[in-house]
Amino acid sequence: MIWAYPDKGLILGMVVVFLLLYNIYLFRFYRINKKLRVKKTRLAYKLVLRGLYVLLFLIALAGPSIGSALKEIKEEGRDIFIAVDLSRSMNATDIAPSRLQRVKFELKNLVRTFSGDRLGLIIFSSEAFLQCPLTFDQNVLQLHIDGLNTDLVPNQGTDIAAPLAMALDRFRQDADVAPNTAKTIILISDGEDWGENLPPVIDQLREAGISVFSLGVGTEAGSTIPEKGSVLLDRTTRQPAITILEADNLKMIANQTEGQYFELSDVAQEMPLLIQEVQRLEGAVIGSRTVEASANKYFYFLLAGLVLAFIDMIYPVKTIAL
């Protein structure tokens, strides 16, 4: 027999309390016995009955598990690449304290949510770089997220196709290692795109069955971009450059890959919804193992104890002889 809650101190304490209270009960009857005739055999019957159901209650409290059976546990998993835009426009402050700082905060919650899945991190602007390959190590991911800043990548425009192509290539390379895992990309950007290779990449993602969940970061009003104690100037007009959320590309990518578009702005805080939708994706079975499981049978002891307590309550034994 296996005990689920083998707290010997608690059980011993309850036994001591029961004996103490019952001794007080017996002492009361001892004083009554001096004046009235008390049938000691009936008193003993009460003691045995009450001691029995208290014992059953204590056994139920300890959680007895009797017998065992073999149970197959299936392990499911997902492979998720997170692609984060690190172009200079992500320093804009239309979302406090800045677009990038808010994304970093949200990413930490996302990583904790998918602790049982492999996560990877890709950073991009005009080029894409693999910051962290697919891994179960959350500590490594959190360190990389803490270090995200716009100086990590060249800032000569934004090419959204680059991180998608890189994620697709990495998924293909890992096909032999994890052939059955569900594969997903979470694309985080303000939507600005100066690349020309997006349509063929989307076609390849769709053919591979890889969904892209895009998160648009920014506002429609937009804001200036901080740079070296001032603001970034437009190269043509020499006026402060204004960056706004351009959601059309992000929505198109999500729709054409059977993903969904979400937004992080001054009017929408949809990162929790994104997490919920990715969680709904069925992770493919990546393995199984057989374990020996035992069932907690406390209920039977509890039920028996309650029956005896009920009998004691509705059928009192007369201990005083008339």
Side-chain angles (χ1 to χ4, degrees), residues 59-71:
I59 294 174
L61 178 65
S65 298
I66 303 171
S68 62
L70 295 179
K71 183 178 180 181

Side-chain angles (χ1 to χ4, degrees), residues 13-284:
M14 295 184 72
V15 170
V16 170
V17 170
F18 169 73
L19 292 176
L20 178 63
L21 294 177
Y22 212 85
N23 275 308
I24 294 173
Y25 170 78
L26 293 177
F27 178 72
R28 175 174 172 269
F29 269 85
Y30 169 75
R31 295 183 61 183
I32 294 174
N33 189 42
K34 290 183 176 180
K35 299 179 179 179
L36 302 172
R37 288 186 299 165
V38 177
K39 294 187 176 182
K40 297 181 176 59
T41 55
R42 293 184 180 180
L43 199 60
Y45 170 77
K46 276 183 171 286
L47 176 61
V48 172
L49 179 64
R50 292 170 180 172
L52 183 58
Y53 65 69
V54 168
L55 177 63
L56 290 171
F57 288 152
L58 293 176
I59 294 174
L61 178 65
S65 298
I66 303 171
S68 62
L70 295 179
K71 183 178 180 181
E72 183 181 17
I73 297 178
K74 294 182 179 180
E75 298 175 346
E76 298 183 352
R78 308 176 189 86
D79 284 347
I80 304 172
F81 263 118
I82 304 168
V84 182
D85 185 352
L86 291 185
S87 59
R88 282 181 291 187
S89 58
M90 291 297 287
N91 290 327
T93 57
D94 50 352
I95 299 178
S98 73
R99 294 176 182 176
L100 182 56
Q101 290 302 321
R102 181 59 184 273
V103 165
K104 290 166 66 172
F105 173 79
E106 298 290 351
L107 280 181
K108 290 182 179 182
N109 294 330
L110 184 147
V111 168
R112 284 193 291 268
T113 301
F114 294 102
S115 58
D117 302 304
R118 289 202 308 170
L119 301 180
L121 183 63
I122 294 173
I123 57 176
F124 70 96
S125 181
S126 56
E127 300 178 54
F129 301 89
L130 181 65
Q131 189 75 352
C132 179
L134 291 168
T135 180
F136 288 107
D137 194 334
Q138 289 205 350
N139 292 328
V140 170
L141 281 164
Q142 296 286 7
L143 286 174
H144 282 297
I145 291 171
D146 285 336
L148 291 179
N149 65 81
T150 55
D151 293 329
L152 293 176
V153 294
N155 273 283
Q156 299 169 351
T158 305
D159 183 3
I160 288 181
L164 300 179
M166 175 172 285
L168 176 61
D169 182 59
R170 297 297 300 191
F171 281 142
R172 287 172 173 169
Q173 291 180 28
D174 284 356
D176 295 334
V177 178
N180 298 321
T181 54
K183 297 172 175 58
T184 306
I185 300 172
I186 297 175
L187 175 64
I188 302 174
S189 174
D190 53 25
E192 294 181 351
D193 182 29
W194 303 95
E196 300 177 352
N197 300 320
L198 191 54
V201 173
I202 292 176
D203 291 339
Q204 294 176 51
L205 289 169
R206 186 168 55 245
E207 291 173 4
I210 299 172
S211 299
V212 179
F213 290 82
S214 54
L215 180 70
V217 185
T219 65
E220 292 183 357
S223 75
T224 56
I225 304 170
E227 185 179 52
K228 297 178 180 179
S230 182
V231 295
L232 183 67
L233 300 179
D234 186 281
R235 293 180 180 178
T236 304
T237 64
R238 305 308 298 172
Q239 297 296 317
I242 303 296
T243 174
I244 63 173
L245 171 61
E246 299 180 14
D248 290 343
N249 275 334
L250 299 176
K251 291 179 180 178
M252 182 267 293
I253 294 169
N255 290 335
Q256 294 192 13
T257 58
E258 298 185 0
Q260 290 189 48
Y261 170 78
F262 300 91
E263 199 164 286
L264 193 60
S265 66
D266 55 343
V267 295
Q269 313 293 326
E270 296 180 340
M271 176 62 93
L273 297 179
L274 185 153
I275 292 174
Q276 289 177 16
E277 289 302 317
V278 175
Q279 283 181 313
R280 288 176 184 171
L281 295 176
E282 291 187 6

